[in-house]
Amino acid sequence: MSYGEDLLQRREAVVPAAVARFAGKATAESASGAIITTVDGKELIDFVGGIGVMNVGHGNRQVLKAIQEQAEKLTHSCIHIATYQPYIELCEKLVKLFPHAEGPHGQTKAMLVNSGAEAVENAVKIAKQATGRSALVSFSEGFHGRTLLCSTLTSKTSLKAGCGPFVPEVYRLPFPNYFRYNDGLTQEAFVDRELHRIRQMFINSVRAEDVAAIIIEVVQGEGGFCVAPKDYLTGLRKLCDENGVVLIFDEVQAGFCRTGKWASYDHFGVKPDLSTWAKSMGGGLPISAVIGKAEVMDAALPGTCGGTYGGNPIACAAALATIEEMERLDLNARAIEIGKVVEERWQGIMEKSEWAVDVRGLGAMQAIVFGQYGDRNTPASGMVRRALDASLERGLLAIPAGAEATTIRFLAPLVITNEQLNEGLNILEEEVLKSIAVECRQASDSTLQAPG
Ligand SMILES: Cc1ncc(COP(=O)(O)O)c(C=O)c1O
């Protein structure tokens, strides 16, 4: 038995299955750039980045240096007890990078916590206090984390099975996924229909006057990298303004250079009232942020937000160094380059096999969607799982996305070399095509064996 298999067995003995494994038998001993070395000493090209966390790359020297230097000075004092420089410096940086308020007098504020889910929790608490309202609206295929509130906001039922009762007063709209829900409409007519649906919701399901916030991922992460149409976001912004509803953009997976911009909403010229950030912001350390218009942020009462470890000094130092590295390496430009390569290669798979039904995303946040024999409504989850397991055997770490795990997503560190990128894409393409062939063969064998 390999050390890796032994480790997985030890995991099974002490870690509950609820802490799921999404990447088969992968293990990790160390990592550098876009390469993870397993506990058995095998090198894996990393197309996952710890689920969108490592945009700046594993083992970035500047980030490590900042962590070490900060650890020597101060590891913890709690922002609620003694104010420290890295927390303030990071918030100053965030409000500069992501101004939410318009006009010369508009002010933006930021607060720090530890995870994406915590950022969403805090954003919702702020929105509720700012509006004095209780209802929330989220979207189908949306994902916002695993606390009870975030599970409620999340769409995918398998991720919250048996965890109810959920938080009351959460309503769900279909995500404006043109690919899935277009019903033959033009994009313009589709957007009109979806915006009309929100107005109808205010009449039939929940009064606008009772809605504190609408939370949306501009580019869905776990949901399968669907991109909301620009006109939908513009219309949503207008509806929120007209009805005093706080608009929250969840940038946890799409933010910090993944899409080729600091914020995915920067592609569309639509700004939220509040936004949530985590993952790649910390370069591997647990840190997250809520950023928002000062008038909204300041509506929350002292003591209602934050927590013991929120904005830990070491995590803040890591985030500051991460952002600096993103600027120095121009990772936004690199994300665009990488995204083009991935998109082109995956369009190539679409040309080779009818099973590939869509390639979508923004910048380096790319996904390829599969449907059995080209039927977009019949998930090809088994085929995808087999292809990913076989890819892992050959040295590529990749994971699925989407409610039915019928999509493969690309979240590699943006420091990946062209050679590593191409090698990873070659492995994936070969294994996907092989897996499709296996599936077709099995189907034809079972037809031949079926009793006449
Ligand atoms: C869009 C989005 N929001 C929130 C979360 C939750 O983040 P965390 O797992 O850090 O709690 C995730 C995690 O994947 C996410 O993709």
Side-chain angles (χ1 to χ4, degrees):
M1 188 197 307
S2 75
Y3 182 39
E5 277 164 28
D6 180 43
L7 186 66
L8 293 174
Q9 281 191 8
R10 283 167 52 204
R11 171 179 174 151
E12 255 171 50
V14 291
V15 181
V19 183
R21 288 197 274 139
F22 299 126
K25 293 183 169 178
T27 60
E29 179 72 14
S30 61
S32 173
I35 299 291
I36 291 180
T37 305
T38 71
V39 297
D40 291 320
K42 190 174 164 191
E43 290 197 343
L44 304 175
I45 299 169
D46 181 10
F47 273 16
V48 187
I51 319 192
V53 170
M54 301 309 302
N55 285 0
V56 80
H58 296 279
N60 177 290
R61 302 313 304 174
Q62 297 310 313
V63 176
L64 294 183
K65 187 164 165 271
I67 291 171
Q68 279 159 358
E69 284 175 6
Q70 185 56 46
E72 298 283 340
K73 274 196 242 167
L74 176 74
T75 57
H76 180 74
S77 70
C78 183
I79 195 62
H80 303 291
I81 304 301
T83 301
Y84 44 91
Q85 155 90 6
Y87 189 111
I88 306 307
E89 198 180 328
L90 180 55
C91 289
E92 285 168 351
K93 184 75 194 174
L94 293 176
V95 303
K96 241 190 226 142
L97 274 178
F98 306 107
H100 281 42
E102 315 282 347
H105 304 297
Q107 202 189 344
T108 301
K109 287 196 173 181
M111 58 158 284
L112 306 173
V113 269
N114 304 289
S115 65
E118 260 189 275
V120 170
E121 289 270 347
N122 281 277
V124 165
K125 281 185 180 176
I126 293 168
K128 286 187 173 188
Q129 293 184 76
T131 56
R133 304 170 179 184
S134 58
L136 302 168
V137 177
S138 65
F139 287 82
S140 68
E141 293 95 38
F143 182 84
H144 300 286
R146 288 187 173 80
T147 59
L148 197 55
L149 169 67
C150 292
S151 292
T152 311
L153 295 169
T154 287
S155 172
K156 191 172 176 175
T157 52
S158 64
L159 296 179
K160 53 190 193 178
C163 297
F166 296 101
V167 176
E169 288 295 302
V170 172
Y171 299 83
R172 202 175 318 281
L173 286 164
F175 187 80
N177 178 344
Y178 182 69
F179 170 79
R180 181 174 273 217
Y181 301 125
N182 70 61
D183 297 324
L185 295 172
T186 62
Q187 170 127 344
E188 199 183 348
F190 168 78
V191 166
D192 280 351
R193 183 188 71 187
E194 295 308 310
L195 290 172
H196 181 64
R197 197 190 292 278
I198 304 178
R199 285 185 221 103
Q200 287 300 113
M201 176 185 72
F202 289 153
I203 296 166
N204 289 318
S205 302
V206 56
R207 292 186 326 148
E209 296 89 320
D210 294 327
V211 176
I214 298 182
I215 181 164
I216 186 168
E217 296 158 86
V218 170
V219 187
Q220 288 192 319
E222 304 303 301
F225 290 20
C226 311
V227 185
K230 178 182 194 304
D231 290 345
Y232 183 85
L233 294 171
T234 310
L236 181 61
R237 175 69 275 176
K238 191 159 171 276
L239 279 170
C240 286
D241 287 341
E242 285 166 2
N243 292 289
V245 174
V246 171
L247 179 58
I248 306 174
F249 286 164
D250 183 343
E251 289 279 338
V252 165
Q253 194 155 152
F256 286 96
C257 306
R258 174 53 46 188
T259 68
K261 291 198 184 278
W262 289 100
S264 66
Y265 62 74
D266 281 339
H267 288 273
F268 303 105
V270 180
K271 278 199 201 296
D273 300 302
L274 297 177
S275 57
T276 52
W277 309 80
K279 293 196 183 270
S280 273
M281 170 178 150
L285 263 68
I287 186 159
S288 63
V290 183
I291 305 175
K293 292 178 177 163
E295 78 229 40
V296 182
M297 298 285 277
D298 284 338
L301 292 170
T304 57
C305 292
T308 304
Y309 293 111
N312 166 272
I314 300 176
C316 287
L320 282 162
T322 297
I323 295 169
E324 224 171 88
E325 282 294 273
M326 287 172 167
E327 285 167 339
R328 186 182 70 81
L329 300 167
D330 198 358
L331 290 191
N332 280 319
R334 181 65 182 145
I336 299 290
E337 277 171 16
I338 291 173
K340 278 191 190 136
V341 174
V342 177
E343 190 183 353
E344 203 172 292
R345 289 293 303 269
W346 286 357
Q347 291 286 359
I349 299 182
M350 277 186 80
E351 281 160 26
K352 287 182 190 153
S353 173
E354 61 173 355
W355 283 58
V357 294
D358 196 22
V359 174
R360 63 186 174 216
L362 205 51
M365 195 168 178
Q366 291 290 328
I368 179 164
V369 189
F370 296 94
Q372 287 189 32
Y373 301 98
D375 178 2
R376 57 177 63 186
N377 295 316
T378 311
S381 327
M383 186 286 289
V384 165
R385 187 66 267 159
R386 188 187 305 107
L388 294 177
D389 288 344
S391 298
L392 184 62
E393 286 293 311
R394 290 183 56 193
L396 172 72
L397 184 63
I399 53 168
E404 287 130 340
T406 194
T407 298
I408 295 175
R409 56 177 144 168
F410 178 85
L411 284 172
L414 298 172
V415 296
I416 192 167
T417 65
N418 289 339
E419 200 189 351
Q420 292 160 349
L421 177 63
N422 284 320
E423 195 184 331
L425 290 169
N426 288 344
I427 294 173
L428 193 65
E429 177 171 336
E430 284 164 24
E431 293 308 329
V432 159
L433 294 175
K434 265 196 237 166
S435 183
I436 291 170
V438 168
E439 201 94 355
C440 293
R441 208 164 43 241
Q442 282 174 352
S444 83
D445 285 352
S446 67
T447 316
L448 286 176
Q449 282 163 17

